[in-house]
Amino acid sequence: MSTFHERVETKWQDRWEREGSFRTPDLPEGRRFYCLEMLPYPSGRIHMGHVRNYSIGDVVARFYRRNGFTVMHPIGWDALGLPAENAALQRGAHPADWTTQNIDHMLGFSYDWEREFATCDSSYYRWNQWFFLKMWERGLAYRKNGTVNWCPGCETVLANEQVEAGRCWRCEAVVEERELPQWFLRITDYADALLDEMDRMPGWPHKVLVLQRNWIGRSEGAEIRFRIPALSDAGDVPVFTTRVDTIYGATALVLAPRHAAAQAIAAQNPEVADYVRAAAAAHAGESHPTGDTGKTGVNTGFRAVNPFSGEEIPVFVADYVLMEYGTGAVMAVPAHDERDYEFAKTYGIEIRTVVIPNDADGAAAEDSAFVDYGTVVDSGPFSGLPTEEAKTAMAEHAREGGYGEPRIAWRFRDWGISRQRYWGTPIPMIHCGECGEVPVPEDDLPVELPRDVEITGMGGSVLSKIESWLRVDCPRCGCAARRETDTMDTFVDSSWYFYRYLDPQNDRAPFDAGKAREWFPIDLYIGGVEHAILHLIYCRFWTKMMRDLGLAGTDEPVVRQLSQGMVIKDCG
């Protein structure tokens, strides 16, 4: 027997469907309002976090309808990705079956259900592949080696969330870092626009914009090249610094464990090799490393030459220096950097003051680093200059000397979209022994995921074992070739889905550009602040890329963004 609330829900949902209560015309009539919540991820059944998010949008959409607006209020399903694959694996189900079951138990709000789609449908992800090909043509998609988490027990690549305390979540083997070819999108080409346009986004929460600014991280400074004489074959080591005025106080060169110079030293020094391996295991699986958890290190016994003073300084390898930011090497100036100061105190590195407050007498740092601006001292011909003047003069001096130059650096990196798993959009590239990397012809899209597969989570990519899918002829020369077996990061799926809602049945293009011009930008976008950085930066990038393709008519996808907060359990 059905419950009262089930009878009420069924009655009204049947009526809404029969009368088309929430159906939206293709083009807005009169005033329009695009109300959107971040699309749900059906790796499990609906929970209160979903209800909170989608209830807000439902109320707002109803309000604007009652006030005479044509309201676009669609829904879809972010159905690909690792959580869905893992959840299905744990239940002995296929990811497609598992996500479909969860979708059937989801939401009953005031959506235009005729616009519904799931990102695991090939009619949707074919356009992920189409966008990838367009970016490949423009040099925005490329392949290079990248670091992944490798489980030697399962013989497979692990996502960061599958690494627990440096060990595989399944077999508990110690996880290793390996360099494997990966696909990247050149999001850094849009760095200036992503940063500068935040000044014209008053409808976004201040916290979200701060998080994005910090993640993008534009820094003005100088790149200075340090020479390690004993590694003459490795070339000079570039260091990016925003405080070149302190370079005469550099008393060590510190390398990240994965830096090429650190690897070269490790090949000659067993103690360094042991440290590099231990550091890799300790920090495996960190999705956004900060360098704040370690500050351990090892003195390599090698020396580097400070190009300004000609002084030889010790070379260390330390885990507080990261390849993800800067160049993977820092000049340690303990008197004027807090992290360098802490490291120097631990490892007995000299602390040498070269910047003093304008009203100070130049006494050496005793209990802390002096990180403010002031007057440069004990710095050769630059002594006596104010910090800002010294920075400019020293950067130009490095340029003239051929060992550096002024530079703008960015904290964030190009977007690595390769995932070594089954449940994702196949990357539409073919590897040919004669032609190299060859794009799949557009007429052959979509490259569909094979359905008849055995997913174990072990032994590498599932797709690499499906010979009938893997082996193809090269589109250029006709020789035997193989498909790319990496699939795309699911953030690709969610970077443009809100445009597909406007035209979900279009089989000629991702969407009609004319409809996009009428409906965009989104008036209100509701979702958790946990998506402030990755999803919301990626969708902004995607909009700018689509603008350059002539599809999107706006620079930014969203006028107002609302972070609704988290539902947490009160354990008190």
Side-chain angles (χ1 to χ4, degrees), residues 73 81 85 124 157 165 244 248 294 296 320 327 365 405 433 519 529 555:
H73 189 217
E85 183 172 315
Y124 179 83
V157 173
V244 68
Y248 281 84
T296 66
Y320 80 97
T327 64
E405 55 274 323
W519 279 108
V529 74
D555 295 330

Side-chain angles (χ1 to χ4, degrees), residues 248-316:
Y248 281 84
T251 52
L253 178 68
V254 188
L255 308 172
R258 289 195 289 110
H259 194 285
Q263 301 288 324
I265 293 172
Q268 304 178 42
N269 186 320
E271 182 183 0
V272 176
D274 289 343
Y275 177 81
V276 167
R277 282 193 294 269
H283 297 282
E286 291 184 358
S287 57
H288 307 304
T290 64
D292 293 333
T293 59
K295 300 189 184 66
T296 66
V298 60
N299 190 336
T300 67
F302 284 66
R303 310 285 287 183
V305 177
N306 183 328
F308 272 76
S309 65
E311 177 186 14
E312 289 195 350
I313 55 178
V315 177
F316 281 76

